[in-house]
Amino acid sequence: MVPRDELFMREALLEAGEALKNGDVPVGAVIVRDGEVISRGHNVREAENDALGHAEIQAIRGACRSLGDWRLQGCTIYVTLEPCVMCTGACINSRLDRIVFGAYDKKAGCCGSIADLTALHLDSEPDVFGGILQEECEEILKEFFLRRREDNG
């Protein structure tokens, strides 16, 4: 972990709040290069009826556009929930240097919880740091699912 990881995770939490406003699972992500946020994303699966509408995918697409390159070397992604298989694969394929996440995902997390795709010696092996602002990241998810259960009676 580096000292600024908490700062950028707070930015990802702001993005999670945007997903929440739109009725999506509150997951947010930001991509940082040279100490600056270059891209933001939040879940839009429900809002856009898009199976690929995960926060990480949105942030990676934005960073690629911002840099004019699909290779995101020198970049770190901060995401409030441990990436799934699709998103971990996207992080590896986009050559991100680091994956920093908040809450562990015991059902679908692929940075160590149910699998660790980053340890497979693929084209890229990003460093992974989990549990950054874990309680805050878990809390927004718990509140969302509690409300959803209450609404569905």
Side-chain angles (χ1 to χ4, degrees), residues 114-132:
I114 66 162
D116 188 357
L117 298 183
T118 65
L120 294 179
H121 307 292
L122 300 170
D123 287 343
S124 172
E125 296 179 31
D127 293 326
V128 177
F129 302 90
I132 308 301

Side-chain angles (χ1 to χ4, degrees), residues 8 12 22 46 54 70 100 111 113:
F8 292 120
N22 296 328
E46 299 296 331
H54 289 208
W70 64 268
V100 180
C111 289
S113 286

Side-chain angles (χ1 to χ4, degrees), residues 24 43-58 61 84 86-87:
D24 271 285
N43 276 4
V44 294
R45 286 193 323 175
E46 299 296 331
E48 297 183 8
N49 293 313
D50 182 0
L52 305 180
H54 289 208
E56 299 94 325
I57 301 299
Q58 303 305 308
R61 286 178 174 155
C84 68
M86 173 180 69
C87 294

Side-chain angles (χ1 to χ4, degrees), residues 59-80:
I60 288 169
R61 286 178 174 155
C64 291
R65 283 191 300 269
S66 174
L67 297 176
D69 195 348
W70 64 268
R71 293 169 196 86
L72 301 179
Q73 291 152 321
C75 296
T76 297
I77 190 166
Y78 294 87
V79 60
T80 57

Side-chain angles (χ1 to χ4, degrees), residues 2-5 7-8 11 30-40 67 73-76 78 98:
V2 297
R4 295 173 67 169
D5 284 348
L7 170 74
F8 292 120
E11 292 294 318
V30 296
I31 295 181
V32 174
R33 185 173 191 185
D34 297 326
E36 291 188 34
V37 175
I38 61 166
S39 182
R40 298 173 175 275
L67 297 176
Q73 291 152 321
C75 296
T76 297
Y78 294 87
R98 299 173 71 231

